[in-house]
Amino acid sequence: MRTRFTLLLPAVALATGMAACGAGGPSKSAFTKKADASCVAGNTAISSAAKPTNDPQIATAAGTAGTTIDGQVAALRAMKTPGGNDKKQIDGIIGAIADVGGPVKALQDAAAKTDDAAMAKAAVDLQAKSDAAATQASAYGLTQCGTALKPAVANLFDGAKSVVKASFVSKSQALCRDASRKSDAIAAPGTSAASLGKYFDAQIAVYTKLVTDLRAVTAPPGDEATVGDLTGAMDALNAKVKEMSTAAKANNLKLVAALSDEADVANTAVNAKADAYGLTVCGSVGG
């Protein structure tokens, strides 16, 4: 006689089989092969485009990249994926790739408006998001989706950086040229120590404002530290001239002379940093 337990075994086996079938999917290797194949063309299209050299070209290149990334994400989401933890990983990778589209669209909009600040921010975000996508995708074994997207969008980042730098250099040179004119217009000091202190104060006012104005100009993405190093050197020079002013007002001309040597060293440092970045008017040419 068959027991109730025995009668239930076929039903349990059938249910287990159906569950296993429903939870099934392609193997990891099959999925990665198919996924990478779907991403090759898009990555090639983005990376093979010429590096943009102006705002309209950046807007166009970013628009193409955005459309391509959206297409990759849609194709990946339509694919059947392995189950379990693999599915969670793949969902995370697809989400990370989709996140790259955000700064790409922001870069497109910023370039269309010739907004240097927004373009620089979008470029920095683009680099961070593409790094994150590449890290996750590479860890799963993908060689095209996410992983190859990072070098593909590097051209777009470099183009944005170049355009923002050209704008930065042009604006900064103009500011330094104006400051130099104002400095030259300051009357030479008289024979008294007090007049020398007054002269130094006038120069400090001009060059302190210059540093403030330079810091208000959008630095190229990735060059923030270099620009900060230059303005920091300018701060150091201004501080040294301020010490000279204080010494002059105290009628300590011997100290003024000693500080003048230190100011020359600080000025040489400013010139070297400015010249190296292409800001010759802020450096050796501007005096």
Side-chain angles (χ1 to χ4, degrees), residues 17-104:
M18 291 177 66
C21 181
S27 65
K28 178 178 178 178
S29 60
F31 172 79
T32 56
K33 182 177 180 179
K34 183 178 180 181
D36 276 335
S38 74
C39 292
V40 172
N43 291 341
T44 301
I46 297 172
S47 62
S48 61
K51 186 174 87 170
T53 58
N54 55 46
D55 293 286
Q57 289 179 6
I58 289 174
T60 299
T64 299
T67 300
T68 301
I69 291 169
D70 287 346
Q72 288 180 336
V73 170
L76 289 171
R77 283 177 173 159
M79 290 181 190
K80 193 169 184 180
T81 63
N85 289 331
D86 280 58
K87 185 178 187 312
K88 292 179 181 179
Q89 281 185 269
I90 292 167
D91 287 345
I93 292 167
I94 296 173
I97 295 172
D99 286 344
V100 179
V104 167

Side-chain angles (χ1 to χ4, degrees), residues 124-143:
V124 171
D125 289 345
L126 171 61
Q127 194 171 59
K129 295 295 186 182
S130 61
D131 282 348
T135 298
Q136 291 189 53
S138 177
Y140 189 72
L142 290 164
T143 59

Side-chain angles (χ1 to χ4, degrees), residues 70-208:
D70 287 346
Q72 288 180 336
V73 170
L76 289 171
R77 283 177 173 159
M79 290 181 190
K80 193 169 184 180
T81 63
N85 289 331
D86 280 58
K87 185 178 187 312
K88 292 179 181 179
Q89 281 185 269
I90 292 167
D91 287 345
I93 292 167
I94 296 173
I97 295 172
D99 286 344
V100 179
V104 167
K105 181 64 169 62
L107 184 57
Q108 179 184 16
D109 293 342
K113 298 174 183 176
T114 62
D115 186 336
D116 289 343
M119 197 168 0
K121 183 181 184 305
V124 171
D125 289 345
L126 171 61
Q127 194 171 59
K129 295 295 186 182
S130 61
D131 282 348
T135 298
Q136 291 189 53
S138 177
Y140 189 72
L142 290 164
T143 59
Q144 280 293 325
C145 298
T147 304
L149 181 61
K150 177 183 175 180
V153 298
N155 219 24
L156 183 57
F157 174 86
D158 289 342
K161 179 177 180 177
S162 295
V163 170
V164 175
K165 181 174 180 178
S167 177
F168 173 82
V169 170
S170 177
K171 292 175 181 177
S172 297
Q173 294 273 74
L175 288 170
C176 290
R177 193 174 292 111
D178 183 57
S180 184
R181 281 196 297 264
K182 290 177 179 176
S183 172
D184 291 342
I186 297 172
T191 57
S192 69
S195 68
L196 184 59
K198 187 175 181 181
Y199 173 79
F200 287 146
D201 286 345
Q203 294 289 351
I204 292 168
V206 170
Y207 287 103
T208 297

